[in-house]
Amino acid sequence: MSGQLRFEILGPQRAWYADQEIDLGPGKQRAVLAVLLLAAGRPVSTGQIVDAVWPEEPPANGPNVVQKYVAGLRRVLEPDRSPRTPGQVLSLTDAGYLLRVDPEAVDAVRFERGVQAARQRHASGLAEQALGELATALYLWHGEPFTGFTGPIFEAARQRLVELRAVALETRAELRLDLGRHRETVGELVELVAEFPVRERLRHQLMLALYRSGRQAEALAAYREFGELLREEYGIEPGGALQELHRRILRSDPTLVMAEPTEPEAPPPVAATVREPATPMVAPAGLIPTQPAPAVVSAPPPLLPPPPATATKPARREAPYWASRTVTILGTLLVLLSFGCLTWLVILAYAVWRRSWRLAVAGVGYLVLVVVEVTMLDMENPDAEVPGPEAVTFLGLAVITWLAGAVHVVLLSRGLWEAITARPDSARGRAKEERRIRREHARYLLYHYPAARTELGLGRPDLARSFDDGGLVDVNAVPEQVLTTLPGLTPEQGRQIVVDRWLRGPYASMEELAARCLLPPSGTEPLRDLLLFLPPASQSDEARRQGS
């Protein structure tokens, strides 16, 4: 019977035997089945089921309750089975309860395999076939997975599947843009941006689709809207790839509308070669050793080569920074020289400039404090002494509106620090550029000289070595202590990467790492230029021996 069973968890939980839907029973029984479906083909202990279904208040007789729900599942999954006959679909083993069904019977498994097949076809240059695979995989979604189920187990599985769906949607949009279908993709991207407002790759695709559709003003408006959202909610600016696209759209860069089929050959040789050398360094099919390239591809993709750097580019960048610094100095002087009486005016000016209601509220607050200060002064008798408690209160208000207000104005402008730290000719900028060149050199060595991986210790900062690879990290080899030092990763996330790597095998791309370990976009962005996705060393060594 197991061959005719089908299960849906990408949306409301449902099950069928052949063409007949099965009543799965009460909510807790459905939750037990969901735990077993997440581990289809592998035994799950009673304790694991109890922890997943009752995360906060497990029943005192948990094993007995699980046994009752398992018996109920056996009745609906195997209705023709005799009560005294051992279960064939759901059985009890020494390691726990085992659900024996074909993995393809679970829609989540079919979805993940479909996305993987689409990636392989995309890497092979078969864009139309990859689109078909993605369409089939995404059609399986009918809503949020595990609706009504709570607890960390279900929440982690839900987030992983939702993230994988988001990446699949981004890949589908990228493929359509590659095929020149920008006009028909705009509407879909608008809906996706509303669903995932902070995914930068979708914003990049929307701007590109709008620009190629002859809607330059709307593309610029989309960038401005995204920048305001990031500044208001998170206090950050759009990423470098999005800023570069914005500058090219402002210049009406003609290369943005070149023929799509030529674009896959456009990126620099290092980025392109990183994706190709699968044969000399790989043992299992589909595991690409020098996988810093997916880190480049998974970012908002520069579909065409950026314009070459010119001598005038630093001048265009410095102008707004100097303007921002001038405004900061003038605003701070106005606060200090007015002894805080005009702090409210400066803050309100920033509120209008940034269109921030929070700053407007702060400006009104400063105005109220100034009014209170004025009312505490006896204007008719300036020589009168202010009583002790009122003097302390007056002094405190004056410090807030004067000194604290000045500090507030300085902190509101990031332009001064950006002008100091982001100058291309600064020591920090030179060091950053040097490390980037070293990383590119190391990746070049990996492609042309695979043995350099072990001889030079590329991607292994935990090993003693003399070669500087610019800070590259092989995510499939380094220990937890190295992962926890990477930018954007917490110690818990580093530990999760190591555990997931041990349980489910090595990572092949940045998308896979983000999907399997539920890394947010803000956490993956700093890692894109640092990580390598090499197979285990034993596999690459075997591949080299076979090649020789």
Side-chain angles (χ1 to χ4, degrees), residues 379-412:
M379 295 300 192
E380 297 181 357
N381 187 9
D383 297 330
E385 294 185 359
V386 180
E390 292 188 11
V392 174
T393 303
F394 178 84
L395 181 60
L397 294 177
V399 169
I400 293 175
T401 56
W402 185 29
L403 299 181
V407 173
H408 193 178
V409 171
V410 173
L411 293 178
L412 280 176

Side-chain angles (χ1 to χ4, degrees), residues 205-415:
Q205 293 168 342
L206 175 60
M207 290 173 59
L208 191 60
L210 286 169
Y211 181 75
R212 289 179 174 173
S213 301
R215 300 158 69 175
Q216 181 182 17
E218 293 178 65
L220 296 174
Y223 177 83
R224 183 172 62 252
E225 175 190 351
F226 186 51
E228 291 174 355
L229 171 66
L230 293 182
R231 285 188 290 271
E232 288 287 335
E233 299 296 332
Y234 307 100
I236 59 176
E237 296 290 335
L242 207 62
Q243 293 183 27
E244 175 63 23
L245 177 63
H246 178 244
R247 286 191 290 267
R248 296 173 69 187
I249 291 177
L250 282 173
R251 296 195 304 268
S252 299
D253 190 340
T255 61
L256 287 176
V257 292
M258 287 176 62
E260 301 293 341
T262 63
E263 291 174 358
E265 300 177 1
V270 172
T273 55
V274 172
R275 293 192 56 174
E276 296 175 359
T279 303
M281 298 186 63
V282 78
L287 193 57
I288 301 177
T290 53
Q291 276 286 356
V296 178
V297 174
S298 62
L303 298 179
L304 291 164
T310 63
T312 59
K313 188 172 182 179
R316 289 198 302 269
R317 291 185 57 190
E318 288 183 7
Y321 294 140
W322 284 104
S324 179
R325 183 167 68 173
T326 303
V327 171
T328 303
I329 294 174
L330 292 178
T332 306
L333 288 176
L334 186 60
V335 171
L336 293 175
L337 295 179
S338 67
F339 295 95
C341 294
L342 297 180
T343 302
W344 63 273
L345 181 61
V346 177
I347 299 298
L348 285 179
Y350 270 103
V352 174
W353 178 34
R354 295 189 175 182
R355 301 179 182 177
S356 171
W357 65 268
R358 294 185 179 88
L359 290 179
V361 172
V364 173
Y366 280 115
L367 177 59
V368 172
L369 293 180
V370 171
V371 172
V372 173
E373 290 180 52
V374 173
T375 56
M376 295 180 67
L377 296 175
D378 190 352
M379 295 300 192
E380 297 181 357
N381 187 9
D383 297 330
E385 294 185 359
V386 180
E390 292 188 11
V392 174
T393 303
F394 178 84
L395 181 60
L397 294 177
V399 169
I400 293 175
T401 56
W402 185 29
L403 299 181
V407 173
H408 193 178
V409 171
V410 173
L411 293 178
L412 280 176
S413 176
R414 295 186 293 271

Side-chain angles (χ1 to χ4, degrees), residues 54-60:
W54 295 275
E56 297 180 356
E57 297 182 1

